[in-house]
């Protein structure tokens, strides 16, 4: 599996192979974690169960999580969601009824609470206005504070849309595999992955995209860190770093 960022057909083959290597090694990740599953005794994740989200409330929670996780780690987001669950039951209308200063205090663990409280309020109003409709990517991107990664996370994990989420972990791993420090554009890299799975049935594509993004994160945290742990890495024989 040699990565060549200049040859699309080879990219497709390599990208599919990379998914198989990740999945065989790490197994299903069960993203997106939900508070309701924690109440039932799990850690919030649901590996192998793609029935979630099951309710509009869970879709809303995923949207909140996608916004709150900007510029922070998930452990801090979990603290925030736990606060919001306790104070508002994660009901959109309750979020809007809450005092802004209280909201800031509840979301403080996620950092940047002055900006994030504004983002959350705007998203909540938008979510209510949808009345159950699936938003377009353009509508999400039009919201202040919602960028491509956040919008695609909401669409993939909240609405089961066949979009692929690109994040810094994805870019880091592709750069190291290719041995090139070239700038990777979000849209270009996303389109390359789309092409690799273009003939896959829609429902299967959603499952693969959901797992693949989570697997990139898993591998980046396990081995492909800022300072990589190359010894023992499952991609060592394929990597040009």
């Amino acid at each position: 599996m040699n990565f060549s960022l200049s040859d699309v057909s080879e990219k497709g083959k390599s990208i599919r192979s990379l998914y198989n290597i990740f999945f065989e090694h790490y197994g299903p990740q069960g993203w997106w974690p939900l508070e309701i599953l924690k109440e039932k005794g799990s850690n919030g994740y649901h590996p192998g169960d793609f029935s979630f989200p099951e309710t509009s409330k869970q879709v809303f929670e995923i949207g909140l999580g996608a916004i709150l996780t900007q510029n922070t780690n998930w452990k801090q987001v979990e603290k925030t969601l736990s606060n919001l669950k306790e104070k508002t039951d994660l009901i959109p209308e309750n979020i809007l009824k809450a005092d802004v200063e209280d909201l800031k205090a509840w979301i403080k663990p996620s950092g940047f609470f002055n900006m994030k409280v504004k983002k959350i309020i705007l998203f909540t109003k938008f979510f209510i206005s949808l009345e159950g409709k699936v938003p377009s990517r353009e509508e999400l991107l039009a919201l202040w504070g919602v960028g491509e990664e956040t919008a695609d996370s909401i669409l993939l994990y909240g609405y089961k849309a066949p979009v692929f989420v690109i994040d810094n972990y994805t870019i880091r791993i592709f750069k190291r595999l290719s041995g090139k420090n070239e700038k990777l554009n979000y849209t270009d890299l996303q389109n390359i992955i789309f092409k690799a799975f273009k003939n896959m049935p829609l429902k299967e594509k959603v499952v693969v995209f959901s797992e693949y993004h989570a697997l990139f994160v898993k591998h980046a945290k396990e081995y492909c860190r800022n300072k990589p742990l190359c010894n023992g890495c499952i991609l060592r024989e394929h990597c040009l770093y």
Side-chain angles (χ1 to χ4, degrees), residues 188-201:
D188 290 343
L189 186 51
Q190 190 178 62
N191 285 337
I192 288 169
I193 294 173
F194 283 160
K195 289 178 182 178
F197 295 98
K198 65 181 179 180
N199 296 321
M200 182 173 282

Side-chain angles (χ1 to χ4, degrees), residues 63-197:
L64 290 182
I67 291 170
L68 291 167
T69 198
Q70 294 172 356
N71 301 305
T72 192
N73 61 67
W74 187 252
K75 285 186 178 180
Q76 298 307 111
V77 176
E78 286 182 312
K79 294 176 184 177
T80 295
L81 288 174
S82 178
N83 289 342
L84 291 174
K85 178 73 170 64
E86 178 185 352
K87 302 297 184 179
T88 72
D89 198 29
L90 295 171
I91 294 173
E93 289 78 7
N94 291 348
I95 295 280
L96 296 183
K97 290 177 184 176
D99 180 81
V100 173
E101 293 306 312
D102 286 338
L103 272 177
K104 288 180 182 180
W106 301 338
I107 69 173
K108 192 173 182 178
S110 294
F112 303 96
F113 55 88
N114 285 314
M115 288 191 296
K116 286 184 179 179
V117 75
K118 181 180 177 181
K119 294 177 184 180
I120 285 173
I121 290 172
L122 289 172
F123 173 74
T124 301
K125 290 179 178 178
F126 171 71
F127 184 84
I128 291 173
S129 74
L130 289 171
E131 297 182 335
K133 181 177 73 73
V134 177
S136 68
R137 192 172 190 261
E138 291 69 28
E139 287 176 316
L140 286 168
L141 290 174
L143 293 173
W144 182 81
V146 174
E148 291 181 301
E149 182 183 339
T150 301
D152 290 339
S153 295
I154 294 170
L155 289 169
L156 176 61
Y157 292 105
Y159 292 98
K160 301 181 182 180
V163 296
F164 194 89
V165 181
I166 305 295
D167 61 11
N168 289 333
Y169 295 132
T170 316
I171 293 171
R172 179 196 299 168
I173 291 171
F174 272 121
K175 280 185 175 181
R176 287 176 175 169
L177 285 170
S178 67
K180 298 178 182 178
N181 197 31
E182 59 188 277
K183 186 175 181 180
L184 295 179
N185 176 274
Y186 189 105
T187 302
D188 290 343
L189 186 51
Q190 190 178 62
N191 285 337
I192 288 169
I193 294 173
F194 283 160
K195 289 178 182 178
F197 295 98

Side-chain angles (χ1 to χ4, degrees), residues 16-99:
R16 292 190 299 272
S17 298
L18 179 59
Y19 172 74
N20 292 333
I21 290 172
F22 277 161
F23 193 82
E24 287 174 12
H25 183 77
Y26 295 115
Q29 300 299 294
W31 280 33
W32 193 279
L34 292 164
E35 288 295 306
I36 187 66
L37 297 179
K38 290 182 182 178
E39 294 174 3
K40 296 180 179 179
S42 78
N43 61 358
Y45 294 86
H46 42 97
D49 185 349
F50 297 97
S51 62
F52 296 97
E54 297 177 320
T55 66
S56 175
K57 183 178 172 182
Q58 290 170 9
V59 174
F60 178 64
E61 179 185 334
I62 290 170
L64 290 182
I67 291 170
L68 291 167
T69 198
Q70 294 172 356
N71 301 305
T72 192
N73 61 67
W74 187 252
K75 285 186 178 180
Q76 298 307 111
V77 176
E78 286 182 312
K79 294 176 184 177
T80 295
L81 288 174
S82 178
N83 289 342
L84 291 174
K85 178 73 170 64
E86 178 185 352
K87 302 297 184 179
T88 72
D89 198 29
L90 295 171
I91 294 173
E93 289 78 7
N94 291 348
I95 295 280
L96 296 183
K97 290 177 184 176
D99 180 81

